[in-house]
Amino acid sequence: MHHDSPPRDGSTGSLTRRAATKAVSLGALAALAGCLGGGSNAGPTPEPVDLSGGKEDDQGGMVIGLHAGPNGQIFYRDNAPEGHDNPAWFHTLSMGLFPYYFEHRERGWEATAVYVTDYSTVDYELSTEGGDTFISTPTGADTFGDATEMTYVVESEVLGGMGKDLIPFSSESDADGFVAEHGGKTVVFDDVTPEWLRGYMRS
């Protein structure tokens, strides 16, 4: 099943829309650098990287791209994940990126950028296996957007690679449309706290 995209008329209209969306997302990320520890002396905001090629999730060791659902990456100012340079990378948000982000924030690690899959900018697919519905898992650098600017769908019938996940959209209307079709509700980045996440994963 393909994500409904704007009608294509043979022009590059949808690509232009994607480029515009990415430009707005990166601009918003620069503006919000202060929220993640950036400042006037912070230097340029790092850009997302491609997560293909057998990279293993820094929270659980699963190979990114082999499982359904959104991926994520976190860049840190003065720290790096074990075994490789920044960013830390993840094949799930609910059991990977967010738990890692919270744990390392408690350790005093300063995130300079947090990126997640942006399903508003990709032609995603839904697949069914064993009665469950899963969303595709793009890994290209251009499929990521600023995590703090996303609207996340939660409690829907659509799962990520490890079950329940947060499905991010840079367009709130895309997220609302997804909820209308697949159930659930929406939250924003600041709604996702350690306490909220524990409750969500237990429910």
Side-chain angles (χ1 to χ4, degrees), residues 2-178:
H2 290 276
H3 171 57
D4 291 332
S5 57
R8 297 185 186 215
D9 57 6
S11 69
T12 57
S14 63
L15 294 176
T16 302
R17 175 182 157 272
R18 289 180 186 160
T21 301
K22 184 161 179 73
V24 168
S25 295
L26 291 175
L29 179 61
L32 288 172
C35 297
L36 291 174
S40 58
N41 298 323
T45 301
E47 297 212 8
V49 300
D50 188 308
L51 294 189
S52 63
K55 295 176 177 69
E56 295 181 357
D57 186 300
D58 282 307
Q59 184 72 359
M62 304 290 279
V63 175
I64 298 169
L66 298 185
H67 309 276
N71 301 304
Q73 46 190 290
I74 307 173
F75 288 85
Y76 289 99
R77 182 174 311 288
D78 297 315
N79 302 92
E82 186 175 339
H84 62 86
D85 292 335
N86 273 298
W89 44 57
F90 310 93
H91 89 288
T92 170
L93 306 186
S94 62
M95 297 181 71
L97 181 139
F98 280 108
Y100 189 98
Y101 174 74
F102 297 140
E103 177 186 343
H104 288 77
R105 185 177 63 184
E106 287 298 310
R107 294 184 191 177
W109 287 33
E110 186 179 343
T112 57
V114 182
Y115 295 109
V116 294
T117 302
D118 180 2
Y119 286 104
S120 287
T121 63
V122 298
D123 292 325
Y124 62 81
E125 296 183 355
L126 299 179
S127 59
T128 303
E129 183 178 330
D132 291 324
T133 303
F134 298 91
I135 194 165
S136 55
T137 182
T139 57
D142 63 346
T143 65
F144 290 91
D146 175 10
T148 67
E149 288 294 291
M150 297 291 165
T151 299
Y152 297 87
V153 174
V154 298
E155 299 178 11
S156 80
E157 65 186 20
V158 179
L159 305 175
M162 299 297 289
K164 281 191 195 178
D165 218 328
L166 298 90
I167 302 175
F169 295 87
S170 57
S171 164
E172 186 176 356
S173 64
D174 287 347
D176 290 341
F178 193 90

